[in-house]
Amino acid sequence: MSAETVEEYKEVFERFDTSSKGSITTNSLGDALAACGAKVPGFKVRDIQESYTEGVITFDDFCKILNQVRSKNTFKETIKPIELKKKVNVNKGSEKSSEWTTHSYAEEEKLAFVDWINFRLAKDELLLKLGSIPISEEGEALFAALRDGIIMNKLVNDSVEDTVDERALNLPSESGNLSIFKIQENQTLALNSCVAIGCNVVNIGAEDLINGKAHLCLGLLWQVIRIGLMAKITLKDCPGLRALLDEFETLEQLLAMSPEEILCRWVNYQLNKVGCKRVVKNFTHDIKDSEVYAHLLVAVCPEDKGPIGLDPLNIQDLTKRAEMVLDNAEMIDARSFVRAHDIVNGNQKLNLAFVANLFNMYPAMDAVEGFEIIEETREEKTMRNWMNSCGATPRVKYIYEDLKDGLAIIQLFDKIQKGCVNWKKVNTPPFKALGGAMKQIENCNYAIDLGHNLGFVLVGIDGKNLHDGDKLTLGLVWQMMRHYTLAMLTHDGKIMKDNEIIKWCNDKLAQKGKTSSFSSFKDSSLGNSRTIVDLIDAISPGYINYDLVTAAGTDDEKFLNARYAITMARKIGARIFALPEDITEVNPKMIMTVFACLMSVGFAKDQQKK
């Protein structure tokens, strides 16, 4: 590709990079390709989009896509966001659909994830006893280690604490055997737990993880690891982030920034502290010479672990320089994810992970006094996780800011009610400075119309409320989640009502000889989780270990019961987004979703018997 061509592509790319973050959203890909003269069928564009699970595409990836669509071998491979110069392993699919089932994965990503898992789970007594840790870097050892589902569940808990009650895991017998049925249950639990924390697992099944399909395993691992790495980049965990805002920016704008953008600002803040004039805008080109990392480590190094110097910058060979920088990182126990060639090659994913981990260990920021910390509520977090698990692109970070243009809401309407969206009515980026806000409000008004069409109660809310980030937005999202959940229980074209769900659950409990029952989703007796546990056992007899169910005499015991109930529900196939606190506090909204999901699983099992 000539320099002139690159410049032309860059000019087009920047028109669609509306946030000036060095990337475009996957939703913009088709228009951006067309603007470069590449006419790609919509279904092929969607195949490419699905490969970018984060919902964004860098300029390097965009150029690679353009090269592939213009080449004579166009679309003979599933296009993956892999930087040039990577060592790539290729796994081929079936003969039947070979054109669309060739998948590749980067060796360095596999190695990075092996290192991270070995580091994070190094002291796990169960994994050490089973001999599952450490995982070898050689060959397919990682995918073999993931086969029984135990490590994936452990990693979910490492990213988001208390997601999985590990007492529910199926473990090998003393002889080391674990049946395929028990393995499948572990993987079902892992996948449903990944969904609960906001992973998008579309087209990933338990069998894919059991069979070690490399590209799917690595894609899911990255989502889980990324969620854990980014979880603490918040004002609650690091109030000093307030210092990263420009003079006229608000806290809401900070909350709406992507983790990548916040980390770029954090790096620049640290560089400024040590007098380095470099400005980082990405974790690809801007870090390849290691100068940024050399100064960053100097800036964040604690007094008791230093001093760290700038000696690496005296080395001209970039690979050797990067290795010296990583030796400095090792001095403060922060050498993770990247190896020297990952820095030199500008591997965006692994460099982002390296910087995020460094931030989590050594934020090196003083708290800023005199401002209120805006903390995400439990309900907002649950709704955000649900939206992201459905594949909202780009990922939703802060509901009230990220839904302002209406696009994510409209995407979700199309997912919860296939065919309900007329995409000709939807305005897409880039939104111009003049008139762009009106286009976004038009989208928001259309989203409200879609809600009315589905029978939502939207009194006192219009498109302007969504665009302004009004708290009423949460009410719309909840009704979408409710519709999505109840759609699983459609009978003769009609969606089940609350009283029908309650009746079915009580009937199922009675049929199986259970004494528990409930009168409404507000029933205070639900707070001890016993009714939920009994219903799970009624749907899947023998699954519940009642020795693990407490008397719920204390708040701690109630929490244990709720976490066990949610975990066992996920293990039998229910996609539960509720948190243990939603049950112990008897949150009727979320408790309804628990029973509805269990009812759906019950329906499916009854159908199988027939």
Side-chain angles (χ1 to χ4, degrees):
M1 189 184 296
S2 68
E4 184 179 355
T5 300
V6 171
E7 285 303 312
E8 291 175 358
Y9 288 168
K10 186 71 172 176
E11 183 179 345
V12 172
F13 184 86
E14 288 176 348
R15 291 210 312 266
F16 290 87
D17 180 15
T18 55
S19 58
S20 301
K21 296 177 181 177
S23 61
I24 63 174
T25 67
T26 50
N27 288 334
S28 305
L29 178 61
D31 291 337
L33 290 173
C36 291
K39 302 296 184 181
V40 184
F43 77 97
K44 293 184 179 181
V45 172
R46 288 191 291 275
D47 283 333
I48 302 172
Q49 290 170 330
E50 288 179 1
S51 297
Y52 291 80
T53 56
E54 302 302 326
V56 293
I57 298 172
T58 65
F59 180 64
D60 279 354
D61 291 335
F62 182 65
C63 288
K64 185 181 178 187
I65 292 168
L66 277 165
N67 274 338
Q68 291 194 8
V69 302
R70 289 181 182 280
S71 73
K72 62 181 179 181
N73 294 319
T74 301
F75 296 110
K76 291 296 181 184
E77 293 186 354
T78 298
I79 299 173
K80 299 287 288 182
I82 298 173
E83 291 82 355
L84 300 178
K85 301 183 184 179
K86 279 187 176 180
K87 180 180 178 184
V88 174
N89 294 307
V90 177
N91 288 352
K92 293 211 171 183
S94 64
E95 292 287 332
K96 183 176 180 181
S97 57
S98 60
E99 183 176 358
W100 296 102
T101 57
T102 302
H103 298 286
S104 58
Y105 70 89
E107 178 74 7
E108 50 263 54
E109 291 179 9
K110 185 199 77 174
L111 296 177
F113 297 163
V114 168
D115 285 347
W116 183 250
I117 293 170
N118 286 340
F119 169 65
R120 295 297 297 180
L121 304 180
K123 297 181 181 179
D124 189 282
E125 294 181 2
L126 173 61
L127 296 178
L128 290 171
K129 180 181 177 181
L130 295 175
S132 303
I133 291 290
I135 300 171
S136 170
E137 294 181 348
E138 300 299 322
E140 309 295 300
L142 170 61
F143 311 116
L146 295 174
R147 183 175 185 272
D148 63 14
I150 296 173
I151 286 179
M152 188 65 82
N153 278 291
K154 292 275 188 179
L155 200 59
V156 168
N157 267 354
D158 181 65
S159 289
V160 182
E161 190 177 5
D162 284 328
T163 300
V164 178
D165 189 330
E166 296 179 8
R167 299 175 300 171
L169 291 173
N170 296 326
L171 304 179
S173 63
E174 292 184 3
S175 62
N177 294 324
L178 188 61
S179 72
I180 187 63
F181 179 70
K182 295 294 185 182
I183 290 173
Q184 188 151 14
E185 288 180 347
N186 281 349
Q187 296 290 15
T188 298
L189 171 58
L191 283 170
N192 286 330
S193 298
C194 288
V195 169
I197 65 173
C199 295
N200 180 9
V201 301
V202 174
N203 299 325
I204 304 177
E207 294 80 6
D208 298 318
L209 302 182
I210 294 170
N211 294 331
K213 290 188 177 179
H215 66 292
L216 296 179
C217 290
L218 292 177
L220 185 59
L221 278 175
W222 170 239
Q223 289 190 70
V224 173
I225 291 170
R226 186 182 188 280
I227 286 169
L229 287 171
M230 306 305 171
K232 292 187 177 180
I233 306 178
T234 66
L235 283 168
K236 177 186 176 184
D237 293 289
C238 184
L241 286 175
R242 175 68 175 81
L244 303 183
L245 288 175
D246 292 336
E247 184 179 357
F248 297 107
E249 288 181 320
T250 65
L251 289 179
E252 286 78 9
Q253 288 173 295
L254 176 65
L255 292 170
M257 291 179 191
S258 68
E260 292 88 342
E261 185 174 359
I262 293 176
L263 288 173
C264 279
R265 290 197 181 201
W266 174 72
V267 170
N268 292 330
Y269 174 88
Q270 300 297 344
L271 295 180
N272 187 60
K273 278 169 50 177
V274 294
C276 178
K277 303 302 181 184
R278 290 282 295 271
V279 176
V280 172
K281 295 182 180 179
N282 57 65
F283 294 113
T284 51
H285 298 293
D286 290 353
I287 50 81
K288 287 183 176 183
D289 63 4
S290 297
E291 181 182 352
V292 166
Y293 284 166
H295 284 93
L296 178 60
L297 290 169
V298 170
V300 303
C301 178
E303 291 183 5
D304 61 337
K305 291 183 178 289
I308 286 178
L310 296 174
D311 295 342
L313 299 184
N314 296 325
I315 305 299
Q316 297 304 308
D317 184 284
L318 293 185
T319 301
K320 291 180 180 178
R321 179 190 293 181
E323 188 59 45
M324 288 185 67
V325 165
L326 291 176
D327 287 341
N328 284 347
E330 192 166 5
M331 289 175 58
I332 59 174
D333 304 315
R335 181 170 184 155
S336 60
F337 292 108
V338 292
R339 304 189 181 196
H341 61 268
D342 299 321
I343 297 176
V344 174
N345 292 340
N347 186 311
Q348 193 271 345
K349 183 182 295 182
L350 299 185
N351 280 284
L352 172 66
F354 171 73
V355 174
N357 183 56
L358 189 62
F359 171 89
N360 289 333
M361 295 181 70
Y362 307 109
M365 301 191 73
D366 296 327
V368 179
E369 302 294 336
F371 74 97
E372 180 184 0
I373 294 178
I374 301 175
E375 186 177 345
E376 186 179 42
T377 67
R378 195 170 71 226
E379 187 175 13
E380 290 165 354
K381 179 181 179 181
T382 299
M383 300 302 154
R384 174 174 57 80
N385 284 342
W386 170 72
M387 297 177 80
N388 287 328
S389 74
C390 289
T393 53
R395 287 180 65 86
V396 177
K397 287 85 61 183
Y398 182 55
I399 284 180
Y400 306 109
E401 288 290 323
D402 292 342
L403 306 186
K404 284 187 170 184
D405 63 6
L407 288 174
I409 289 284
I410 293 171
Q411 284 178 41
L412 288 166
F413 268 117
D414 197 47
K415 292 178 185 294
I416 67 174
Q417 189 73 34
K418 288 291 184 183
C420 75
V421 176
N422 179 353
W423 288 101
K424 292 181 179 179
K425 293 185 177 181
V426 181
N427 302 311
T428 56
F431 295 109
K432 298 179 180 179
L434 184 62
M438 288 304 300
K439 294 293 185 182
Q440 293 179 10
I441 292 174
E442 287 176 6
N443 283 348
C444 292
N445 281 326
Y446 183 47
I448 296 297
D449 289 342
L450 292 171
H452 284 303
N453 293 342
L454 294 180
F456 291 3
V457 179
L458 299 171
V459 178
I461 179 172
D462 58 21
K464 186 68 163 52
N465 295 121
L466 296 184
H467 186 263
D468 291 345
D470 194 293
K471 295 291 182 181
L472 292 170
T473 301
L474 196 63
L476 172 62
V477 177
W478 156 245
Q479 291 189 69
M480 295 177 75
M481 182 180 180
R482 175 187 170 86
H483 182 90
Y484 170 84
T485 303
L486 294 180
M488 296 184 290
L489 299 174
T490 300
H491 181 65
D492 293 334
K494 296 181 180 179
I495 293 179
M496 289 279 186
K497 296 181 179 179
D498 287 5
N499 63 328
E500 293 174 305
I501 298 172
I502 294 169
K503 183 179 185 305
W504 183 91
C505 293
N506 283 329
D507 287 348
K508 176 65 76 172
L509 288 164
Q511 288 169 12
K512 298 298 181 178
K514 306 294 184 181
T515 58
S516 55
S517 65
F518 63 108
S519 58
S520 76
F521 299 126
K522 297 179 181 180
D523 194 322
S524 61
S525 67
L526 295 174
N528 65 15
S529 301
R530 184 70 186 224
T531 302
I532 299 172
V533 165
D534 283 346
L535 182 59
I536 294 168
D537 199 61
I539 293 170
S540 298
Y543 264 62
I544 294 296
N545 180 355
Y546 279 95
D547 290 339
L548 300 179
V549 182
T550 73
T554 66
D555 289 343
D556 288 343
E557 288 184 343
K558 287 180 180 179
F559 180 87
L560 288 173
N561 281 359
R563 187 182 62 181
Y564 181 64
I566 289 172
T567 299
M568 291 305 296
R570 290 172 180 153
K571 187 176 179 180
I572 68 170
R575 291 213 162 160
I576 306 290
F577 287 89
L579 299 172
E581 293 87 351
D582 291 319
I583 296 177
T584 59
E585 296 172 13
V586 192
N587 179 335
K589 288 182 179 179
M590 297 312 300
I591 282 182
M592 182 281 293
T593 66
V594 172
F595 282 114
C597 289
L598 286 172
M599 184 178 176
S600 176
V601 172
F603 271 2
K605 288 184 177 292
D606 290 343
Q607 194 64 36
Q608 288 174 358
K609 292 176 183 178
K610 294 178 181 179

